[in-house]
Amino acid sequence: MLNSSQRRAGRSLLIQRNALETNDIIANKNKALFGKAFVMNFLSSPGSGKTSLLESIIPILKSDGFKVAVIEGDVETDLDKKRIDKLNVPAYQIITNGTCHLDARMVSGSLNSLDINGADIIFIENVGNLVCPTSFNLGEDIKAVVLSVTEGDDKPLKYPAAFYKSKVMIINKIDLLPVLDSDIAKIRENALSINKDMVIFETSCKNNSKAGNTYNNGLQDFISFIKDNVSLKVSVFKK
Ligand code: MG
Ligand code: ZN
């Protein structure tokens, strides 16, 4: 016989499970609406450089002929959307009013306003948080976790779900490595211990021509990965 606190715990688990099942149903509808577009859901802590990454790669993708749309998620403000607007691509800001993750229903609502017609790529920038965004499928093709080198090399071990569920990790702000004790080999090792198939890129979004630096900013490799996935999605979609 269950006592009352066990019954309460059971009920709350049931509610959580139902909420995630409902989320999955809406996520599947989103996926159908996304059509042939390759959709990436970016997860990270606040301040890892997700928006800067988008600002760096979207102009290149655009000039290579790809149609891009962006869904921004933040607890407050449309500051990130305003940055994306400057790139002249369709963008929609979801303001969650305190909720610390995006769910499929919010993304579904954004599709009433956002023009994704003919889009090749849709980027979803989740709320900066490595915990619950991992539980909510939004209808994306892949999750991508962005980790700044300033965050410490033990992050994959502390937030394993974000690294387990992401197909890709982007180690960002590598321009800061010379002034940090951060060990990029350790970040890789820790991430691969959680997800051995993870594809890893090392990037910097700083304007390195201006700074006179000569390091490879890694963006071209990441862009090639995106383009390959766009082709793959189109070929699967046709079948
Ligand atoms: Mg942002
Ligand atoms: Zn949350």
Side-chain angles (χ1 to χ4, degrees), residues 50-170:
K50 295 188 293 305
T51 314
S52 299
L53 191 66
L54 294 179
E55 286 175 316
S56 302
I57 62 175
I58 287 173
I60 301 171
L61 288 164
K62 254 185 88 179
S63 72
D64 289 346
F66 290 87
K67 246 187 118 179
V68 179
V70 179
I71 298 170
E72 282 290 338
D74 277 292
V75 171
E76 291 286 351
T77 82
D78 62 351
L79 293 170
D80 283 358
K81 177 191 178 284
K82 284 185 177 143
R83 286 168 64 183
I84 302 297
D85 280 342
K86 293 194 180 129
L87 310 175
N88 289 313
V89 294
Y92 185 89
Q93 179 79 52
I94 297 171
I95 296 174
T96 65
N97 289 311
T99 301
C100 47
H101 58 266
L102 293 181
D103 65 27
R105 194 183 298 278
M106 298 176 197
V107 170
S108 163
S110 78
L111 298 180
N112 294 328
S113 317
L114 181 71
D115 177 18
I116 57 164
N117 202 2
D120 301 298
I121 307 162
I122 300 169
F123 294 123
I124 303 175
E125 182 180 336
N126 218 309
V127 178
N129 171 3
L130 279 177
V131 187
C132 37
T134 61
S135 301
F136 292 86
N137 177 9
L138 307 177
E140 72 273 8
D141 293 296
I142 66 167
K143 291 183 173 66
V145 62
V146 184
L147 178 71
S148 147
V149 292
T150 58
E151 294 175 53
D153 39 43
D154 52 3
K155 211 131 204 198
L157 304 177
K158 288 182 175 170
Y159 299 90
F163 293 82
Y164 181 71
K165 293 198 172 174
S166 295
K167 181 169 180 147
V168 185
M169 170 170 68
I170 299 106

Side-chain angles (χ1 to χ4, degrees), residues 145 147 151-166 169 171 181-198 200:
V145 62
L147 178 71
E151 294 175 53
D153 39 43
D154 52 3
K155 211 131 204 198
L157 304 177
K158 288 182 175 170
Y159 299 90
F163 293 82
Y164 181 71
K165 293 198 172 174
S166 295
M169 170 170 68
I171 305 174
D181 291 327
S182 202
D183 181 351
I184 217 157
K186 197 79 200 160
I187 298 176
R188 282 177 168 268
E189 186 190 319
N190 286 337
L192 290 169
S193 77
I194 305 292
N195 178 356
K196 67 176 173 48
D197 299 320
M198 188 163 236
I200 302 174

